[in-house]
Amino acid sequence: MMRGRTFRGQSPDGTWHEGFLIRSPGVKNSRPGEGWYINSEQEPAYAHLVKPFTIGMNTTLTDGNGAPVFEGDILKDDRCGKDVIFAVRYGEYIDYGVGHIGFYAEFSENRKEFVEHGLASLVLTAKVVGNVVDTPELMGTSTGKEQQHEVD
């Protein structure tokens, strides 16, 4: 098992890879072969070029099925007879009036209000049902492709 913070990213062929994140030195110059790589001791070829907008950090939490939860995952839970859907994000958020930096839940459009909360208590019974790259429609978003155009 790997130690330290791991990441997940999708290669151009659509395959997801999990491991350590490596930035090639020439990534800002857009040279061929330069970019972000996931280095996995678990897979042959070891380092896989990944699309930057697909990279997500491991939260070190597991969902209700015991699956690892990554930044960008979409989870679903049944709370009081209603489906609650949220995406895992990393950054600044406010939880009960207090500012934090870390992993948080961004709730889907099926919630009346936009609310952000810390992640740990929410993933205990929730299940990973997709991610913001492959299944953005779960969050009420038409496509995740607009993220491709973000500048590093």
Side-chain angles (χ1 to χ4, degrees):
M1 177 171 247
M2 291 183 220
R3 294 187 183 242
R5 184 72 71 178
T6 58
F7 291 80
R8 180 180 66 191
Q10 188 182 55
S11 59
D13 70 1
T15 304
W16 286 94
H17 303 282
E18 196 176 312
F20 295 103
L21 184 63
I22 301 169
R23 178 178 173 245
S24 182
V27 70
K28 290 199 179 250
N29 300 332
S30 299
R31 295 189 299 228
E34 302 291 343
W36 294 93
Y37 287 82
I38 297 289
N39 183 10
S40 175
E41 60 189 29
Q42 314 298 318
E43 300 178 59
Y46 304 110
H48 304 274
L49 181 66
V50 294
K51 299 178 275 188
F53 70 95
T54 68
I55 298 169
M57 196 178 347
N58 187 327
T59 65
T60 71
L61 300 171
T62 55
D63 72 359
N65 288 333
V69 177
F70 283 84
E71 174 185 6
D73 277 343
I74 297 174
L75 289 89
K76 180 176 172 183
D77 201 2
D78 179 14
R79 301 267 167 141
C80 304
K82 288 187 172 184
D83 283 342
V84 175
I85 298 171
F86 60 93
V88 176
R89 302 290 188 189
Y90 183 85
E92 295 180 38
Y93 67 98
I94 296 178
D95 195 8
Y96 300 106
V98 179
H100 300 275
I101 295 177
F103 292 104
Y104 65 92
E106 176 184 281
F107 292 96
S108 73
E109 294 175 7
N110 70 352
R111 296 277 297 230
K112 288 184 179 162
E113 71 285 346
F114 177 78
V115 182
E116 299 172 345
H117 283 296
L119 198 59
S121 64
L122 295 171
V123 300
L124 294 174
T125 57
K127 313 288 188 297
V128 173
V129 293
N131 63 64
V132 298
V133 175
D134 293 333
T135 53
E137 65 278 4
L138 295 174
M139 289 294 292
T141 308
S142 60
T143 177
K145 302 302 180 209
E146 64 274 2
Q147 295 174 346
Q148 291 180 4
H149 305 294
E150 290 181 5
V151 178
D152 290 60

